[in-house]
Amino acid sequence: MNKRRFKDSTFNVMTFISIISVTFLLGMIFWFVFSQGIGLLNFRLLTSDNQAVNYVGAFSSDNYPEFMDPSLESDVHFIERYGIGIAERRDLAGNTVIEFVYVDPDSPFTDIALLNGGSLSVTSGMTLNRVAFIERPAAQRSQGIMNMVSALSDEGNTIRELSFTRPGGGIRASLVSTLYLIGLTLVIVLPFGIMSGLYFSEFAKNNRLTRITRNFIEMLSGIPSIVFGLIGLSVLIPFTVRTTPATGGNLIAGALTLSAILLPIVIRTTEEGFNNVPRPYREASLALGANRTQTSLFIVIPGALSSILTTTFLAIGRIIGESAALIFVLGTAVRDRVGVFDRSPSLAVHIWALMTREPPNIELASTIAVIILIVVLILNLSIKLLVRLLHRGRY
Amino acid sequence: MKNNVIMSNLDKHTQRLLLLFSLFASSVIILIVFFIVTRGMLPFITDNDGLGRVSLFRFLTGTVWLRGATFVSTAYGAGFLVINTLYVVFLSLLISFPISILSALFIAKICPPRIAQMFRMVVEILTAIPSIIFGLVGAGFLLPIIYTLATTLGYRSNAGLGVLGVVIVLALMSIPTLTTISETAIRSVDRSLEEASYALGATRAQTNAKVVLISAKGGIFAATILAVGRALGEATAVSLVAGNAMSGPSFIPFDITATLTSMMLMGLHETSGIDYDIRFSLGIVLLAVIFIVNVTLNFIKKRVGDFGE
Amino acid sequence: MDNIYEIKNLSVHYGAFQALDNIEMTILKNKVTALIGPSGCGKSTFLRCLNRMNDLIDNAVVTGDIRFKDDTKDIAKVNPIELRKKVGMVFQKPNPFPMSIYENVAYGPKRQGEKDKKKLDEIVIRSLKQAALYDEVKDDLKKPALSLSGGQQQRLCIARALALEPEVLLMDEPTSALDPIATQRIEDLIAELKKHYTIIIVTHSMQQAARISDYTAFFYMGELREFDTTNRIFTNPSLKQTEDYVTGRFG
């Protein structure tokens, strides 16, 4: 009797340990990703280009007024002479830089004639690398901020040349690419999926052809996404190159690839949604003289709205997270000009690119992962809320 | 609500149009297989720009992978990749299967309903986490631990990359789907079977272990087949922890390894030539492996199911 | 004649709904007691009290006193697993486990700790014989239980219950899901079994109660209306309501 009770408790304890481990796993993933990534998360990251751009130039004019000290943060040094405020900060990659925190609109720094031609204004956020003087050796960033401040403030020093940088490390491009991908993919796969789902639910005959068609569509879900990536590379890219202004890998090809991946689940979910629309509604419509097309358009599709929305959100979640298929089609080079006919990695592919570099940039990858996780969480919660809301008002 | 209603002309057109869409959707898989196969066959039947044909036999059974253009060779061996892939997936199942089933049992039968809902959500969130993030956490968190483990045990380890990392990452990725589907299967077991067990004086643990799990066997098996299929095809997460071995197969937990999918992700920059085509050949092998494994497991499922125990 | 159950003040509530109200009854050993009454009158609830299966229902509240045999304690205070070894149950719809015939019958003894293969074989054969099923299945005991017909499955469930050698067998409408021939076989079986076991059977069929039982209890709306020998109940009941029910004027 005691032996049996012991066996029973062990069994029960093991089930408890299992679920606790699973919960622990979730916690660990979130903890790791957030602790690594949250440090870099700020608005600038989301809006900056990835590539840093270096500029070299000099003042266009020598006339500049006196400047008043606006109140700035405590670590900012205001250079009265030129009307700029600089501080020692960290850039998005974690390096120490001298950042322009404030540039007065009348400051000579707003009108720099570049060596390569053209002129540019220094804006806040840019970093100062080096200032060359006529009278004394150049002041470098590596010499520290105090050195720079005193060199610039000294009335006896005349600036000969400036070297500054618009910093990169931002993920704006990847964000925008991901948004484009979502839009394009939904535009392609939703109509396809809904119409196929409608066919199976409303119009398909119960014959061999229907069964075979269904089987073939279901088989798609068994194909790993990397194979879809190969198809994207070998079929969809040439196809889009021939039919659009694209000249290589592009977002449209990426969207087509994702559409193929999502097709089975979209069809399945919408078909289920259509089947769940109660029979009486259809019968009432037909009894009022509407034909099947009208019934489908005005009764069935609206009736399955919650399913359609659910599948949209699921698709968005899948698109954001998909990496293997898109690595081939979009490449891993992060660009800053994002066009629908250009290639530019999505967020997930960007993580991959960061992790396969030497050395891997775990912090930035985690930051992107934080963004992805938050979005995915919100999507999931929204699906739940949606289902509850929409079903309350209906049947 | 289909065919007993007379259709207007518009409806006939609609039906034809929708049929077209469905047929197109169903043809996608045919197109995929066609293109993969035609591209992937090239290394075996063409001259590959002077490098010579790749021997199909050597490909299927080989244990070394030499980049063609670089090494001026055709010694592409995918045999060890197949063994590696099957090996790591099998091992990962040893970890994920018990944890998932027991968790599912806990949520479905042992836990009070309100807490069960909470755990269910935990599993749901895990299901939604993209695979690349599992790869990220694996590479960033798991690898250092494996490295420390290896060195304390006296093994050489390449920064923790290798078999053990892949097995753990695959196991962690399989747990959410396995748990969810198994839980559904467990909950759909007929209540009267449980009652019969209790009426015979069994305890809750005995009822769960001997009746509930056995009755849910079919659903659990189906869940496993699904999880195995996904694990076989997993690419990015695996490639971040595998270590990219060029020969094998690798069995020791701390040896670097490579799977079919991780090898496909290597050498991204070729757009033509043998290194490009050979990726498609790997694609054929991958599809074949998934297909064969699926068929085998389904066959076993039917046999065990018929027997009733 | 000894009593196998002494029931006093038994009441059962499911939440706000009262399923049984103050039942008082004595059940005699080695007799067949039938519980009859219209749907929802509480007879199944009563039956499930006798082996504490109502414990499995979350909002069931059971009050009162049930004494099993010579126990001085109410069965609520007894280990339910021990109780269920002595009081077996057969359900309305046959519910064999998705295992072989052998494993189904051996299930009870195995869970109680029996490991000896020889003993288990003995138990299985004995139980199957007692349930009048052995001759039909003896060629292949490893066959799946679900491949048997409905009537055979129910006899298997009886064998499964008998494997624990209980003293009481509770049967909840055991033949209502079976065809007339299978029903007949089980009724014959009950007549045999009562020599060794006490049987308490819930039944919807008056004729069945009249055919096989020694004592009959008439339940109505949660109350025990009348309890007497089957003979009296069916030929000369005390209450008019009882007479109305057994003659089919209602229910």
Side-chain angles (χ1 to χ4, degrees), chain A residues 268-341:
Chain A
R268 203 188 316 147
T269 325
T270 54
E271 187 196 340
E272 222 177 274
F274 294 145
N275 281 334
N276 281 339
V277 176
R279 239 193 126 130
Y281 287 16
R282 285 191 191 78
E283 294 177 334
S285 168
L286 293 169
L288 288 166
N291 57 38
R292 307 244 310 254
T293 313
Q294 291 169 315
T295 309
S296 301
L297 279 174
F298 299 116
I299 303 287
V300 179
I301 293 185
L305 196 61
S306 75
S307 282
I308 295 179
L309 278 174
T310 307
T311 199
T312 308
F313 282 20
L314 280 175
I316 294 179
R318 189 73 201 270
I319 295 171
I320 294 181
E322 182 52 54
S323 50
L326 295 176
I327 291 178
F328 289 136
V329 180
L330 297 181
T332 53
V334 184
R335 310 286 171 82
D336 283 317
R337 297 276 162 270
V338 184
V340 164
F341 303 113

Side-chain angles (χ1 to χ4, degrees), chain A residues 42-151:
Chain A
N42 56 56
F43 188 68
R44 182 111 50 94
L45 182 73
L46 302 177
T47 53
S48 306
D49 286 348
N50 198 265
Q51 288 294 68
V53 186
N54 294 318
Y55 300 105
V56 182
F59 291 155
S60 296
S61 83
D62 273 327
N63 282 332
Y64 36 90
E66 286 285 313
F67 293 100
M68 302 285 287
D69 183 346
S71 344
L72 299 165
E73 294 146 341
S74 55
D75 66 332
V76 179
H77 304 268
F78 183 68
I79 315 287
E80 246 178 39
R81 205 171 156 205
Y82 299 111
I84 57 171
I86 56 179
E88 191 170 73
R89 294 271 165 87
R90 287 186 169 271
D91 71 359
L92 290 170
N95 306 316
T96 310
V97 294
I98 297 179
E99 184 180 309
F100 286 97
V101 180
Y102 171 77
V103 179
D104 192 293
D106 293 323
S107 165
F109 277 82
T110 58
D111 195 5
I112 308 280
L114 298 173
L115 266 190
N116 305 336
S119 72
L120 184 67
S121 164
V122 172
T123 53
S124 76
M126 291 194 186
T127 61
L128 184 58
N129 300 327
R130 181 175 160 273
V131 182
F133 298 99
I134 297 179
E135 300 86 351
R136 51 152 283 176
Q140 314 261 29
R141 170 188 61 180
S142 52
Q143 292 163 336
I145 181 139
M146 293 318 296
N147 180 55
M148 182 67 71
V149 169
S150 65

Side-chain angles (χ1 to χ4, degrees), chain B residues 3 19 41 54 59 62 105 116 131 133 171 208-209 218 222 295 305:
Chain B
N3 304 304
L19 174 64
M41 280 202 318
V54 178
F59 183 70
L105 197 60
S131 53
I133 295 187
N208 282 337
V295 165

Side-chain angles (χ1 to χ4, degrees), chain A residues 4 8 16 18-19 23 28 192 195 199 201 203-204 219 230 282 291-293 323 328 352 384, chain B residues 1-2 7 11 14-15 19 21-22 24 29 102-103 106 119 124 141 203 206 236 239 264 268 279:
Chain A
R4 177 166 78 165
D8 285 358
F16 181 68
S18 300
I19 191 64
T23 314
M28 232 189 33
F192 246 102
M195 291 208 252
Y199 176 75
S201 154
F203 290 91
M219 280 200 257
L230 288 180
R282 285 191 191 78
N291 57 38
R292 307 244 310 254
T293 313
S323 50
F328 289 136
W352 160 265
K384 283 210 151 56
Chain B
M1 192 73 246
K2 287 169 196 172
M7 294 205 283
D11 287 342
T14 311
Q15 179 176 41
L19 174 64
F21 273 97
S22 311
F24 184 77
I29 185 166
L102 291 178
S103 301
F106 185 84
F119 281 127
E124 250 178 62
F141 181 73
T203 61
Q206 289 176 320
T236 46
S239 64
M264 280 162 78
L268 280 178
R279 244 181 281 152

